[in-house]
Amino acid sequence: MITQKVDEGLISKAKALVDGATNIVITAHVSPDGDAVGSTLAMCHYLKSLGKNATVVLPTAFPAFFKWLEGAREVIIFKDNRRAAVNAINQADLIIAQDYNELKRLGEDGMPKVVRETTCKKLMIDHHLNPEPFAEVTISYPLMSSACELLYRVLRTWNNGALLPKHIAECIFTGMMTDTGSFSYNSNDPDIYYIVAELIKSGIDKDQIHRNVFNNYTADRYRMMGYALTKMEIIPEYGTAIITMSRDELNRFNYRKGDTEGFVNMPLSIKGVVFSAFLKEEDNLIKISLRSQGEFPCNIVANENFNGGGHLNASGGEAHGEQLEAVAQRLRDVLPRYKDLFDKELAKITD
């Protein structure tokens, strides 16, 4: 049986908010990943099964390899369709915040302000540290592997322990799989595999889902990957690898949203690398993805230096108004600050 880890009182309060609402908007963070897309779509489908008018509004577009998920093509993107997004948010009597812990994670295009200024009630379901107190009910469990794992626990209770419909199970599995690197990190809790078993009982084909997400790239993406690896910088004394990609370099390989997914994980396969950083130039900002192994806290590096955060082994941040190389140099410069932590992890590596 699955361990009861979420406060049942909070789950009941969240259900009361849902029961009292008619028009519900589900939101997630800027640059949505599989966990953001999967959790919002799963909630949307569940709310519609209750007869609610539910809409997913995301700040920016998500990678094309998530568009096979049921309902993905009905998602409203704030950056691309501001009028429809604002209209949906303003008409909502409940906004659900999933997979983000503070409103600034909704991006730079005005969505944080629009959501903050609404007078409707709000519900947060999230697994990041230090949630901002903007919601009437906050279900926050940073030790959960993913927002989708947390959402599964909530929906399972609301559904009286019954199996979830297949299309909802597919969304939840997608988020759990992608937010754990195909169950290679943040995934040592036996409950995770109980949940996966329950999702399989719902009828999902987990192997096909993996193919849909990870075997759905272009040839240009693999050429870009090879180029990125030729640029990889290794700093042995800190067990660190850094890869940078400028906008011009991305465009050289006909970059599409999601093409660099997983690049940050690749250096961790190299012996002696315990911390990996991928810096990518986007419109008006530098996007920073960080991954680590063992107990090295890449989330602390993100939080203390790059206006970000996340989890022990998977986190990220952003830098605005800076050049790509300046941000990379700033990262190099802060590494000595964490020397003791690097030494602790490097000491575990055997010959």
Side-chain angles (χ1 to χ4, degrees):
M1 291 292 294
I2 189 172
T3 308
Q4 181 64 42
K5 295 182 178 178
V6 182
D7 184 280
E8 293 184 354
L10 287 175
I11 294 178
S12 296
K13 289 179 180 179
K15 186 62 162 60
L17 286 181
V18 167
D19 289 343
T22 301
N23 297 314
I24 303 175
V25 167
I26 309 102
T27 60
H29 58 77
V30 69
S31 300
D33 56 9
D35 198 26
V37 176
S39 63
T40 53
L41 287 176
M43 177 63 91
C44 186
H45 294 318
Y46 188 83
L47 294 175
K48 286 182 176 180
S49 76
L50 301 178
K52 306 295 182 180
N53 179 22
T55 306
V56 176
V57 177
L58 298 178
T60 54
F62 52 87
F65 46 78
F66 294 125
K67 288 186 177 178
W68 63 273
L69 288 166
E70 186 168 329
R73 296 182 184 276
E74 282 72 59
V75 172
I76 298 175
I77 304 301
F78 189 95
K79 184 175 182 179
D80 299 337
N81 196 350
R82 184 185 178 97
R83 178 176 295 180
V86 171
N87 186 55
I89 292 169
N90 287 338
Q91 289 185 2
D93 47 18
L94 176 65
I95 294 175
I96 302 179
Q98 293 184 183
D99 200 27
Y100 67 98
N101 60 345
E102 50 189 347
L103 290 176
K104 72 177 184 179
R105 295 283 288 121
L106 292 174
E108 299 288 324
D109 292 305
M111 188 169 169
K113 183 174 186 291
V114 174
V115 172
R116 190 181 296 278
E117 291 181 352
T118 58
T119 58
C120 69
K121 293 183 178 179
K122 299 176 181 67
L123 164 65
M124 181 195 295
I125 302 176
D126 180 52
H127 69 134
H128 295 90
L129 293 168
N130 305 317
E132 178 186 349
F134 65 81
E136 277 71 19
V137 176
T138 295
I139 301 178
S140 174
Y141 284 80
L143 294 180
M144 293 286 173
S145 68
S146 58
C148 275
E149 180 194 346
L150 180 55
L151 180 63
Y152 172 85
R153 293 171 181 272
V154 172
L155 296 185
R156 183 177 185 272
T157 302
W158 288 357
N159 209 38
N160 298 314
L163 293 176
L164 296 172
K166 178 184 176 182
H167 63 299
I168 296 179
E170 287 177 332
C171 294
I172 288 176
F173 180 81
T174 298
M176 291 179 65
M177 175 186 70
T178 54
D179 231 37
T180 60
S182 296
F183 306 101
S184 65
Y185 52 80
N186 295 336
S187 57
N188 212 31
D189 183 348
D191 278 358
I192 291 173
Y193 303 97
Y194 178 91
I195 294 171
V196 170
E198 292 294 288
L199 297 176
I200 292 172
K201 290 178 184 176
S202 292
I204 72 166
D205 183 339
K206 74 173 190 63
D207 299 338
Q208 183 61 51
I209 292 173
H210 188 278
R211 289 192 291 271
N212 288 347
V213 174
F214 295 110
N215 296 354
N216 200 12
Y217 294 112
T218 64
D220 280 333
R221 189 255 186 184
Y222 280 90
R223 295 186 180 98
M224 185 193 305
M225 183 191 301
Y227 175 77
L229 289 174
T230 66
K231 296 191 64 189
M232 178 176 60
E233 174 187 0
I234 304 291
I235 307 175
E237 61 269 35
Y238 299 113
T240 293
I242 300 174
I243 300 174
T244 63
M245 293 286 287
S246 70
R247 192 72 195 181
D248 287 344
E249 289 171 322
L250 294 170
N251 290 339
R252 191 185 310 172
F253 297 95
N254 303 308
Y255 172 74
R256 299 188 311 174
K257 188 76 174 177
D259 276 351
T260 58
E261 191 80 17
F263 281 18
V264 68
N265 295 310
M266 294 187 296
L268 295 179
S269 299
I270 301 171
K271 186 174 182 178
V273 172
V274 298
F275 177 55
S276 174
F278 178 68
L279 282 60
K280 178 178 63 174
E281 184 180 22
E282 296 189 352
D283 296 335
N284 304 316
L285 65 87
I286 307 300
K287 186 76 174 178
I288 302 154
S289 298
L290 305 176
R291 297 293 184 272
S292 67
Q293 302 196 75
E295 298 178 16
F296 185 81
C298 67
N299 56 338
I300 291 179
V301 178
N303 178 262
E304 292 182 347
N305 303 283
F306 300 107
N307 193 35
H311 303 282
L312 180 74
N313 299 126
S315 59
E318 297 176 348
H320 297 266
E322 295 185 68
Q323 297 298 312
L324 179 62
E325 178 51 34
V327 178
Q329 187 57 51
R330 184 147 60 90
L331 175 59
R332 297 183 194 102
D333 291 343
V334 303
L335 294 179
R337 189 185 307 171
Y338 307 99
K339 186 177 188 307
D340 290 345
L341 295 172
F342 281 121
D343 288 346
K344 181 179 178 181
E345 288 306 310
L346 291 172
K348 299 177 183 178
I349 298 173
T350 59
D351 292 331

